[in-house]
Amino acid sequence: MTTTRDALEQLRSALAGVLAFDAAGGCSDDELLATMGALEAVGRVVDAHRAAYAGEVAERSRVELGDQRLSTRHGCRSAAELVERVTQVSGVEARRRVALGSATRAGVGFTGEPLEPPYPLVAAALAGGELGADAAGTIIRELDRTRPVADPASFAAAEQALVTEATGRGDGAPVRCTADELRVQAQAWSIFLDQDGPEPDDERAMRRRGFRLGRARDGLIPVAGDLMPEVAAKLTRLFDAHLSPRSGGGFMTDQERADIARNGETRTADQQRHDVLAAVIDTAARSGEHPSIGGAAPTVLVSVRASDLETGRGVAHADGVEVPISLRAARHMMCTGGTQKVVFDDDGRIITLGSPERCFTPHQRRAITLRDGGCLIPGCSVPAAWCEIHHVIPDAHGGPTHPDNGVLLCWFHHRTIDTSGWGIRMHHGVPHIRPPAWLDPGGGWRPITKSPTRLADQRERREPDRAA
Ligand SMILES: [Zn+2]
C-alpha cells in the first residue's frame, strides 16, 4: 500500500529529476518567467497542505485536551513549537502556518456534523492552488480584527471580494494582485467593516502600540513599530522643526547664508530625521531624570583597543548592539563621553586602570552654551540643549576638558567634523570657524557664535559707530 508519505517522497525525487538546480541560468527570458510562475503554482499547493497539516497539529494540541495535547506529549509548549521542531522553520513561519491552517480548517460540531471553516472561500482557493499562503494570510490577518464587530453579511462579502481580487476570477479583475496590493485592499475593507468610532479604535491602538529594534543588517539596526497617533504627531513636529534649512551665523552676509542654505545641507530628509533622533536620545540620557543602571546614569560602554585607535585599523564594540562600530564612531563617542584607559597583561589581568573619563561638567556645559548658543556650524539649527561638546584639541592629544577647548556641535556635525571640511579652532578662548573650500574658496577663519546674548553684545558694540 502506498501511503501519502511514500507518494510525497516519490514526488520529491521526481521534482528533483525534472528541475536541475542551476537550470534557471540556461533559460531564455520568457522561459525564466514562465517556469518561475509554474514553480509558484506547485509551491502554492505545497503551502496549502503545509498549512493544513499545521492546522491539524494545532487542533490536536488545543488547550482543552490538557495532558493529552499532541504538543504536550511531544514536550512542546505549543502547536507552533511542535511545527517548528518537526519542520525546522522559524517560529514566525510556524505560527503563520498554524494560523492559516486553523482559519481554513473545517470543524466538527458537537453532534459530529461538519462545520464550515472560519474562512470558507479562502480555504477553497487555497486548496485549489489558486491563492498563495501569504495572500491568504493577509486576508485573514486584516479581516480577523474586525470579526467581533463586523456585520456577518458584510464580512462574507469582504472575504469574497478579496479572494476574487487575489485569484483574478471576478469580472473586471483579470490581473491577479500581489500579496502587498491585496493588503492595501484588505485594510480598506477592515476599516469599512469596523466603523465603531474612536473608542474601540483607541483601545486597540493602545494594545498594538510598540517600538522595537531589529537585528543588525548591513551594519545598521532597523527599527520598527507602531506609534500612537499623538506620539507620532509630536515626533513629526520635532522633526519638522529641524528639517527646514535656516540661516545662522552672526558673521555671515545674506549671500553667504543663502549659499549655505542652498549647498550646505547634503543630508536626505531621512538622514536628518535620524540625526534629530540621535540628539533627542543624547539629550534625554543627559537629563539625569532617567532610572540609573547600577547607580550610574544610563551610559553606553564602548570598548576599543588602544593599538587599533592608534593605527586607525580595527573596530570598536558598544554594549547592547551586536554589530561592531567604526573607529570614527568610537572617537566621536570618546570626544563627547570621555575615556578610561585599561591595560591588561598577556594573561588578561588588569594591570593599569586609568583615571576616569574626561567629561565636561554640567556647569562647564552651561558656560559653553552661553558662549556658543547652539551647533556652531552655520546653517545648522540644532539648539544648544541638543548639542554635544566637542574637544577642539582631542583629549588624546593633550586637549584639556576646559571651556576654552570645548565647543557645541550637533550629533551630525560632530560625527562628520573630521571629514566635512569645516575647521574649528579656539583663539583666546573664542571659537573660530573656517568653511570648507567647496563652500567658501579662499575663506579664512572667522569668530562665530549663535548665543543671543553675545549677538546682542556685538550689535551694541556696533551701534555707537553708526551713531557717530
Ligand atoms: Zn550642526
Side-chain angles (χ1 to χ4, degrees):
M1 190 190 78
T2 310
T3 64
T4 306
R5 198 175 142 190
D6 293 334
L8 281 173
E9 184 50 42
Q10 286 166 15
L11 200 59
R12 196 187 62 78
S13 45
L15 258 182
V18 172
L19 296 165
F21 187 66
D22 51 1
C27 287
S28 71
D29 289 355
D30 289 347
E31 277 169 3
L32 179 70
L33 302 183
T35 310
M36 189 162 74
L39 262 177
E40 194 57 32
V42 175
R44 277 197 295 273
V45 174
V46 173
D47 282 348
H49 287 89
R50 282 169 161 168
Y53 274 76
E56 185 61 30
V57 168
E59 173 64 19
R60 296 183 192 189
S61 304
R62 60 188 195 277
V63 178
E64 310 91 89
L65 297 176
D67 287 349
Q68 288 311 301
R69 299 169 70 185
L70 184 62
S71 51
T72 307
R73 283 188 281 126
H74 288 77
C76 293
R77 278 159 304 179
S78 65
E81 188 187 334
L82 182 52
V83 171
E84 208 179 323
R85 299 248 168 256
V86 172
T87 61
Q88 289 95 49
V89 296
S90 67
V92 173
E93 176 61 21
R95 286 191 292 278
R96 244 166 42 99
R97 288 186 192 172
V98 165
L100 184 55
S102 302
T104 52
R105 186 181 181 286
V108 180
F110 286 116
T111 55
E113 81 279 12
L115 292 178
E116 236 188 8
Y119 291 87
L121 301 175
V122 172
L126 200 62
E130 295 175 280
L131 191 64
D134 53 356
T138 298
I139 296 176
I140 290 166
R141 239 186 345 270
E142 290 299 331
L143 293 190
D144 242 8
R145 294 193 272 122
T146 69
R147 192 186 276 279
V149 293
D151 162 53
S154 308
F155 192 87
E159 186 191 358
Q160 168 86 63
L162 290 169
V163 168
T164 303
E165 280 300 330
T167 56
R169 273 183 310 196
D171 306 333
V175 181
R176 296 161 167 232
C177 65
T178 68
D180 283 337
E181 290 161 350
L182 192 64
R183 193 183 61 240
V184 176
Q185 298 190 21
Q187 281 166 349
W189 270 106
S190 106
I191 291 166
F192 169 77
L193 291 173
D194 177 13
Q195 298 173 338
D196 239 16
E199 274 308 298
D201 267 347
D202 190 58
E203 278 167 30
R204 200 166 61 196
M206 281 297 282
R207 277 199 305 278
R208 296 182 61 210
R209 77 194 190 283
F211 183 84
R212 58 197 170 272
L213 300 180
R215 281 181 154 287
R217 219 167 40 205
D218 298 335
L220 292 168
I221 313 293
V223 294
D226 298 282
L227 297 182
M228 296 297 286
E230 70 272 28
V231 175
K234 287 181 200 167
L235 191 59
T236 305
R237 292 292 297 152
L238 213 49
F239 286 148
D240 287 350
H242 294 277
L243 280 175
S244 48
R246 282 195 215 154
S247 55
F251 63 82
M252 306 191 99
T253 64
D254 287 349
Q255 183 55 47
E256 283 172 327
R257 269 196 281 273
D259 281 350
I260 283 177
R262 194 169 60 244
N263 303 321
E265 188 53 77
T266 52
R267 288 174 287 171
T268 64
D270 277 3
Q271 289 170 337
Q272 291 182 60
R273 278 189 287 271
H274 169 277
D275 299 350
V276 168
L277 200 58
V280 170
I281 292 165
D282 267 356
T283 311
R286 216 175 30 235
S287 72
E289 291 176 4
H290 293 272
S292 63
I293 298 172
T299 302
V300 176
L301 187 67
V302 175
S303 57
V304 60
R305 302 194 317 164
S307 56
D308 289 346
L309 264 186
E310 254 162 52
T311 60
R313 284 211 298 272
V315 294
H317 297 274
D319 254 5
V321 287
E322 53 206 289
V323 284
I325 65 171
S326 70
L327 291 180
R328 194 185 298 162
R331 272 194 217 99
H332 175 191
M333 291 175 84
M334 283 162 60
C335 185
T336 304
T339 51
Q340 182 173 17
K341 194 167 187 170
V342 183
V343 181
F344 299 92
D345 69 8
D346 290 343
D347 297 327
R349 180 181 174 199
I350 295 170
I351 51 174
T352 308
L353 194 55
S355 63
E357 57 248 49
R358 308 282 294 156
C359 276
F360 288 92
T361 62
H363 69 268
Q364 286 175 322
R365 186 184 173 88
R366 281 192 289 275
I368 294 170
T369 295
L370 272 177
R371 187 194 62 207
D372 294 351
C375 176
L376 280 186
I377 302 299
C380 180
S381 68
V382 173
W386 288 14
C387 283
E388 305 179 348
I389 303 181
H390 168 57
H391 281 79
V392 177
I393 300 168
D395 183 46
H397 298 171
T401 301
H402 183 280
D404 281 354
N405 188 42
V407 297
L408 293 184
L409 288 180
C410 71
W411 180 88
F412 171 70
H413 286 121
H414 198 189
R415 183 74 154 73
T416 54
I417 195 66
D418 291 338
T419 51
S420 62
W422 285 99
I424 297 178
R425 72 176 184 195
M426 300 302 283
H427 187 66
H428 297 307
V430 176
H432 283 58
I433 202 157
R434 187 182 58 197
W438 58 268
L439 200 58
D440 182 19
W445 292 96
R446 287 171 279 192
I448 179 146
T449 184
K450 292 182 183 173
S451 157
T453 48
R454 289 200 52 226
L455 290 171
D457 279 351
Q458 290 175 359
R459 269 198 306 277
E460 207 171 80
R461 274 198 296 276
R462 259 177 250 146
E463 285 301 326
D465 299 351
R466 212 179 290 167

PDB file of all heavy atoms in Angstrom, residues 17 73 83 110 117 124 172 182 209 214-216 279 306 367 380 385 388 423:
ATOM      1  N   GLY A  17      14.284  15.329 -10.313  1.00  0.00           N
ATOM      2  CA  GLY A  17      14.684  14.868 -11.643  1.00  0.00           C
ATOM      3  C   GLY A  17      14.335  15.885 -12.721  1.00  0.00           C
ATOM      4  O   GLY A  17      15.088  16.103 -13.671  1.00  0.00           O
ATOM      5  N   ARG A  73       2.469  16.159  24.629  1.00  0.00           N
ATOM      6  CA  ARG A  73       3.018  14.795  24.602  1.00  0.00           C
ATOM      7  C   ARG A  73       4.381  14.749  23.928  1.00  0.00           C
ATOM      8  O   ARG A  73       5.143  13.811  24.123  1.00  0.00           O
ATOM      9  CB  ARG A  73       2.032  13.848  23.897  1.00  0.00           C
ATOM     10  CG  ARG A  73       0.848  13.466  24.800  1.00  0.00           C
ATOM     11  CD  ARG A  73      -0.016  12.398  24.173  1.00  0.00           C
ATOM     12  NE  ARG A  73      -0.930  12.933  23.164  1.00  0.00           N
ATOM     13  CZ  ARG A  73      -1.005  12.479  21.919  1.00  0.00           C
ATOM     14  NH1 ARG A  73      -0.239  11.492  21.512  1.00  0.00           N
ATOM     15  NH2 ARG A  73      -1.860  13.022  21.079  1.00  0.00           N
ATOM     16  N   VAL A  83       5.419  22.347  15.395  1.00  0.00           N
ATOM     17  CA  VAL A  83       5.611  22.518  13.945  1.00  0.00           C
ATOM     18  C   VAL A  83       7.057  22.936  13.659  1.00  0.00           C
ATOM     19  O   VAL A  83       7.716  22.418  12.750  1.00  0.00           O
ATOM     20  CB  VAL A  83       4.620  23.566  13.394  1.00  0.00           C
ATOM     21  CG1 VAL A  83       4.957  23.923  11.946  1.00  0.00           C
ATOM     22  CG2 VAL A  83       3.187  23.078  13.515  1.00  0.00           C
ATOM     23  N   PHE A 110     -20.774  19.542  17.804  1.00  0.00           N
ATOM     24  CA  PHE A 110     -20.930  18.689  18.991  1.00  0.00           C
ATOM     25  C   PHE A 110     -21.497  17.331  18.649  1.00  0.00           C
ATOM     26  O   PHE A 110     -21.178  16.337  19.268  1.00  0.00           O
ATOM     27  CB  PHE A 110     -21.839  19.391  20.014  1.00  0.00           C
ATOM     28  CG  PHE A 110     -21.148  20.516  20.698  1.00  0.00           C
ATOM     29  CD1 PHE A 110     -21.597  21.822  20.544  1.00  0.00           C
ATOM     30  CD2 PHE A 110     -20.021  20.285  21.484  1.00  0.00           C
ATOM     31  CE1 PHE A 110     -20.959  22.860  21.170  1.00  0.00           C
ATOM     32  CE2 PHE A 110     -19.381  21.330  22.109  1.00  0.00           C
ATOM     33  CZ  PHE A 110     -19.845  22.625  21.952  1.00  0.00           C
ATOM     34  N   PRO A 117     -15.264  26.033   7.600  1.00  0.00           N
ATOM     35  CA  PRO A 117     -14.086  26.711   8.155  1.00  0.00           C
ATOM     36  C   PRO A 117     -14.391  28.187   8.385  1.00  0.00           C
ATOM     37  O   PRO A 117     -15.292  28.736   7.736  1.00  0.00           O
ATOM     38  CB  PRO A 117     -13.016  26.556   7.077  1.00  0.00           C
ATOM     39  CG  PRO A 117     -13.642  25.911   5.913  1.00  0.00           C
ATOM     40  CD  PRO A 117     -15.042  25.524   6.243  1.00  0.00           C
ATOM     41  N   ALA A 124     -11.141  27.364   0.180  1.00  0.00           N
ATOM     42  CA  ALA A 124     -11.360  26.720  -1.111  1.00  0.00           C
ATOM     43  C   ALA A 124     -10.297  27.155  -2.119  1.00  0.00           C
ATOM     44  O   ALA A 124      -9.742  26.329  -2.852  1.00  0.00           O
ATOM     45  CB  ALA A 124     -12.761  27.069  -1.631  1.00  0.00           C
ATOM     46  N   GLY A 172     -13.849  42.225 -14.303  1.00  0.00           N
ATOM     47  CA  GLY A 172     -13.105  43.464 -14.110  1.00  0.00           C
ATOM     48  C   GLY A 172     -11.876  43.296 -13.257  1.00  0.00           C
ATOM     49  O   GLY A 172     -11.253  44.259 -12.871  1.00  0.00           O
ATOM     50  N   LEU A 182      -2.875  43.327  -2.201  1.00  0.00           N
ATOM     51  CA  LEU A 182      -4.042  42.771  -1.520  1.00  0.00           C
ATOM     52  C   LEU A 182      -4.156  43.334  -0.105  1.00  0.00           C
ATOM     53  O   LEU A 182      -5.254  43.587   0.394  1.00  0.00           O
ATOM     54  CB  LEU A 182      -3.898  41.249  -1.464  1.00  0.00           C
ATOM     55  CG  LEU A 182      -5.147  40.487  -1.053  1.00  0.00           C
ATOM     56  CD1 LEU A 182      -6.238  40.685  -2.081  1.00  0.00           C
ATOM     57  CD2 LEU A 182      -4.828  39.006  -0.905  1.00  0.00           C
ATOM     58  N   ARG A 209       0.269  49.251  20.188  1.00  0.00           N
ATOM     59  CA  ARG A 209       1.381  50.175  20.083  1.00  0.00           C
ATOM     60  C   ARG A 209       2.702  49.451  20.401  1.00  0.00           C
ATOM     61  O   ARG A 209       2.707  48.471  21.150  1.00  0.00           O
ATOM     62  CB  ARG A 209       1.188  51.356  21.025  1.00  0.00           C
ATOM     63  CG  ARG A 209       1.492  51.041  22.480  1.00  0.00           C
ATOM     64  CD  ARG A 209       0.961  52.116  23.394  1.00  0.00           C
ATOM     65  NE  ARG A 209       1.434  51.946  24.755  1.00  0.00           N
ATOM     66  CZ  ARG A 209       0.959  51.063  25.609  1.00  0.00           C
ATOM     67  NH1 ARG A 209      -0.016  50.235  25.242  1.00  0.00           N
ATOM     68  NH2 ARG A 209       1.447  50.973  26.824  1.00  0.00           N
ATOM     69  N   GLY A 214      15.442  46.038  15.541  1.00  0.00           N
ATOM     70  CA  GLY A 214      15.558  44.750  14.871  1.00  0.00           C
ATOM     71  C   GLY A 214      16.967  44.197  14.957  1.00  0.00           C
ATOM     72  O   GLY A 214      17.825  44.730  15.659  1.00  0.00           O
ATOM     73  N   ARG A 215      17.176  43.132  14.227  1.00  0.00           N
ATOM     74  CA  ARG A 215      18.504  42.528  14.157  1.00  0.00           C
ATOM     75  C   ARG A 215      19.353  43.320  13.178  1.00  0.00           C
ATOM     76  O   ARG A 215      18.855  43.779  12.155  1.00  0.00           O
ATOM     77  CB  ARG A 215      18.407  41.100  13.623  1.00  0.00           C
ATOM     78  CG  ARG A 215      17.966  40.095  14.642  1.00  0.00           C
ATOM     79  CD  ARG A 215      17.932  38.717  13.988  1.00  0.00           C
ATOM     80  NE  ARG A 215      18.110  37.666  14.966  1.00  0.00           N
ATOM     81  CZ  ARG A 215      19.253  37.382  15.568  1.00  0.00           C
ATOM     82  NH1 ARG A 215      20.324  38.042  15.288  1.00  0.00           N
ATOM     83  NH2 ARG A 215      19.330  36.413  16.439  1.00  0.00           N
ATOM     84  N   ALA A 216      20.630  43.447  13.479  1.00  0.00           N
ATOM     85  CA  ALA A 216      21.526  44.241  12.639  1.00  0.00           C
ATOM     86  C   ALA A 216      21.528  43.710  11.203  1.00  0.00           C
ATOM     87  O   ALA A 216      21.480  42.506  10.974  1.00  0.00           O
ATOM     88  CB  ALA A 216      22.935  44.184  13.208  1.00  0.00           C
ATOM     89  N   ALA A 279      20.020  63.286  18.564  1.00  0.00           N
ATOM     90  CA  ALA A 279      20.142  64.387  19.518  1.00  0.00           C
ATOM     91  C   ALA A 279      19.135  64.246  20.655  1.00  0.00           C
ATOM     92  O   ALA A 279      19.451  64.486  21.817  1.00  0.00           O
ATOM     93  CB  ALA A 279      19.930  65.713  18.798  1.00  0.00           C
ATOM     94  N   ALA A 306      43.602  50.207  22.259  1.00  0.00           N
ATOM     95  CA  ALA A 306      44.383  51.426  22.059  1.00  0.00           C
ATOM     96  C   ALA A 306      45.209  51.324  20.778  1.00  0.00           C
ATOM     97  O   ALA A 306      45.349  52.298  20.031  1.00  0.00           O
ATOM     98  CB  ALA A 306      45.283  51.662  23.263  1.00  0.00           C
ATOM     99  N   ALA A 367      28.296  77.161  30.744  1.00  0.00           N
ATOM    100  CA  ALA A 367      29.135  78.282  30.303  1.00  0.00           C
ATOM    101  C   ALA A 367      29.348  78.231  28.784  1.00  0.00           C
ATOM    102  O   ALA A 367      29.234  79.250  28.094  1.00  0.00           O
ATOM    103  CB  ALA A 367      30.483  78.231  31.033  1.00  0.00           C
ATOM    104  N   CYS A 380      23.090  75.389  10.569  1.00  0.00           N
ATOM    105  CA  CYS A 380      22.546  74.291  11.377  1.00  0.00           C
ATOM    106  C   CYS A 380      21.684  74.897  12.485  1.00  0.00           C
ATOM    107  O   CYS A 380      22.086  75.855  13.138  1.00  0.00           O
ATOM    108  CB  CYS A 380      23.658  73.457  11.984  1.00  0.00           C
ATOM    109  SG  CYS A 380      23.026  72.089  12.973  1.00  0.00           S
ATOM    110  N   ALA A 385      20.720  72.732  23.749  1.00  0.00           N
ATOM    111  CA  ALA A 385      20.353  71.623  24.623  1.00  0.00           C
ATOM    112  C   ALA A 385      20.541  70.281  23.932  1.00  0.00           C
ATOM    113  O   ALA A 385      20.694  69.253  24.574  1.00  0.00           O
ATOM    114  CB  ALA A 385      18.902  71.780  25.075  1.00  0.00           C
ATOM    115  N   GLU A 388      26.295  68.267  21.483  1.00  0.00           N
ATOM    116  CA  GLU A 388      27.357  67.599  22.207  1.00  0.00           C
ATOM    117  C   GLU A 388      28.500  68.602  22.350  1.00  0.00           C
ATOM    118  O   GLU A 388      28.543  69.608  21.659  1.00  0.00           O
ATOM    119  CB  GLU A 388      27.838  66.394  21.397  1.00  0.00           C
ATOM    120  CG  GLU A 388      26.694  65.452  21.051  1.00  0.00           C
ATOM    121  CD  GLU A 388      27.124  64.249  20.225  1.00  0.00           C
ATOM    122  OE1 GLU A 388      28.266  64.256  19.717  1.00  0.00           O
ATOM    123  OE2 GLU A 388      26.313  63.325  20.115  1.00  0.00           O
ATOM    124  N   GLY A 423      36.467  73.723   9.556  1.00  0.00           N
ATOM    125  CA  GLY A 423      37.560  73.830  10.509  1.00  0.00           C
ATOM    126  C   GLY A 423      37.089  74.557  11.755  1.00  0.00           C
ATOM    127  O   GLY A 423      36.314  75.519  11.659  1.00  0.00           O
TER     128      GLY A 423
END
